Amino acid sequence: MNDSAMRRRLCAAALGMALASGVSIARAAPRRHAVLTLAGPGAVVSYPLMHMAATGALAEHADRLRFRLWQTPDQLRTLLVNGELDFSAAPCTLPALLYNRGMPVRLLNISVWGILWLVSRDPAVQTFEDLAGRELVAPFQRDLPAVLLDTLLAAQSARGLAPVALRRTRDGQDAIALMLNGQADQALLVEPMASLLLWRAGQTEGAPALFRGQSLEQAWRAAFPAQPSLPQAGVMAAPRVAEDAELCRAVNRAYAASARWCVEHPAECAALVRDHLPHLPQPAIETAIRGTRLESRSAEAARPELEALYRLLADRYPQAIGGSLPPAGFYAP
């Protein structure tokens, strides 16, 4: 008998003795955390995380979940560097940028596929092509919505449409104020800001009538038929938990379940969200949920769509993703 066969027989004998003596042989318990911190911006992508924290998801892995809002990508970077969060919602370009700059985060999923809406004072302005020769207020600077908008408008100009005059604002609240005061005619807003603008216009005496037009995602499908799906935001794992595959899979499952709950119960989800965003009226939050394509898919499953977007950005705006496509290990199953 060779050494390999002898080792197998010894292992089998040891296993038999353990079973005969009643010793329990079970998979090691997952590592427990006293607290896991979930984070995100005040956008629809964060709502399932809020639901997870409120309902005590991940009970096998953590005694408590908490949710923390962040306002800017720079604030998120600071929280990551300081080790103050474990998982965060983010636009899909940000994890790629962080990874390519040396921070070993992992993208867990993509859940938001449509969140940017055109709002106009003119009911005839229904599509982005209708914006030709007009001014558009855009509260985006160097983030993903700005890159997507610039790419879409460049494609329209290449087809001979008159250019759109972009009026950049500091943030969504500034864009809303300009629209309500009649100082702007069109704006592109991310949910829930688009729904908030329409709600305020309906509640404010003397405010101009406003109309919801096309989503940027609808216009994108027409301009780039080779990439009809537009991944925009999802959840990433911070470096300190990115290699815990079991925990990451559990977060993915819990997030997908909470996303389905939000879609199926928009009124109840909106009430929960107001615990974190009390300045937003519940009807506007509910409308934002109904108007957002919230469908969670693992990053590995969404990798073809993500890489198609990353390639486009690498050609036109490489700084948005840190210059190159992330490797296969960046995409969590």
Side-chain angles (χ1 to χ4, degrees):
M1 182 182 297
N2 60 33
D3 290 345
S4 177
M6 178 64 75
R7 283 195 295 271
R8 287 197 297 271
R9 294 188 71 174
L10 289 173
C11 288
L15 177 60
M17 291 175 63
L19 292 173
S21 63
V23 175
S24 174
I25 298 178
R27 186 182 64 179
R31 178 193 171 194
R32 287 197 63 79
H33 300 261
V35 180
L36 285 174
T37 300
L38 315 177
V44 178
V45 65
S46 297
Y47 297 175
L49 294 176
M50 297 176 185
H51 180 256
M52 289 168 60
T55 56
L58 305 177
E60 291 186 4
H61 296 269
D63 296 330
R64 183 166 69 92
L65 295 183
R66 63 185 175 193
F67 179 82
R68 179 169 182 174
L69 279 169
W70 52 262
Q71 302 297 327
T72 67
D74 286 339
Q75 184 185 2
L76 172 59
R77 291 187 189 96
T78 300
L79 293 172
L80 287 167
V81 169
N82 294 339
E84 296 182 46
L85 61 83
D86 299 289
F87 299 93
S88 181
C92 69
T93 48
L94 187 55
L97 175 63
L98 294 173
Y99 190 97
N100 283 330
R101 288 184 174 176
M103 185 177 288
V105 299
R106 289 188 87 194
L107 183 61
L108 299 190
N109 61 48
I110 290 294
S111 60
V112 169
W113 304 81
I115 200 171
L116 292 158
W117 288 92
L118 175 62
V119 179
S120 177
R121 296 177 63 187
D122 186 348
V125 177
Q126 298 181 356
T127 71
F128 280 77
E129 292 186 352
D130 296 332
L131 290 171
R134 298 174 182 261
E135 181 184 75
L136 175 67
V137 168
F140 315 115
Q141 301 296 332
R142 296 175 300 276
D143 50 8
L144 178 58
V147 172
L148 296 177
L149 176 61
D150 290 347
T151 302
L152 176 63
L153 295 182
Q156 291 190 176
S157 294
R159 299 202 319 269
L161 291 177
V164 176
L166 287 181
R167 182 178 178 183
R168 308 284 188 180
T169 63
R170 182 182 57 181
D171 54 29
Q173 292 291 352
D174 283 354
I176 287 176
L178 290 172
M179 292 290 289
L180 291 177
N181 293 335
Q183 297 178 308
D185 293 329
Q186 285 84 217
L188 180 67
L189 292 167
V190 64
E191 289 290 14
M193 302 306 286
S195 294
L196 177 62
L197 170 58
L198 292 166
W199 182 85
R200 285 187 177 172
Q203 300 293 315
T204 304
E205 185 176 353
L210 298 177
F211 305 90
R212 186 188 292 265
Q214 188 180 37
S215 72
L216 184 141
E217 294 72 32
Q218 292 167 336
W220 186 275
R221 283 194 292 271
F224 302 99
Q227 192 207 350
S229 293
L230 186 56
Q232 291 196 34
V235 175
M236 68 177 184
R240 66 181 183 181
V241 294
E243 296 305 316
D244 189 337
E246 187 173 355
L247 175 60
C248 289
R249 285 192 293 267
V251 169
N252 245 349
R253 290 192 298 269
Y255 182 92
S258 288
R260 287 192 299 270
W261 182 85
C262 289
V263 170
E264 294 167 0
H265 304 87
E268 293 90 336
C269 182
L272 183 154
V273 169
R274 289 204 75 235
D275 292 340
H276 300 277
L277 302 169
H279 62 287
L280 292 180
Q282 184 166 330
I285 300 173
E286 184 176 344
T287 301
I289 296 168
R290 295 182 186 277
T292 298
R293 183 184 166 196
L294 187 61
E295 176 188 320
S296 185
R297 293 170 55 193
S298 74
E300 186 176 64
R303 185 178 171 186
E305 291 96 331
L306 284 162
E307 290 193 335
L309 176 61
Y310 290 159
R311 287 191 187 96
L312 176 66
L313 297 177
D315 289 340
R316 302 189 184 191
Y317 303 95
Q319 66 275 15
I321 58 169
S324 62
L325 273 65
F330 169 76
Y331 304 92

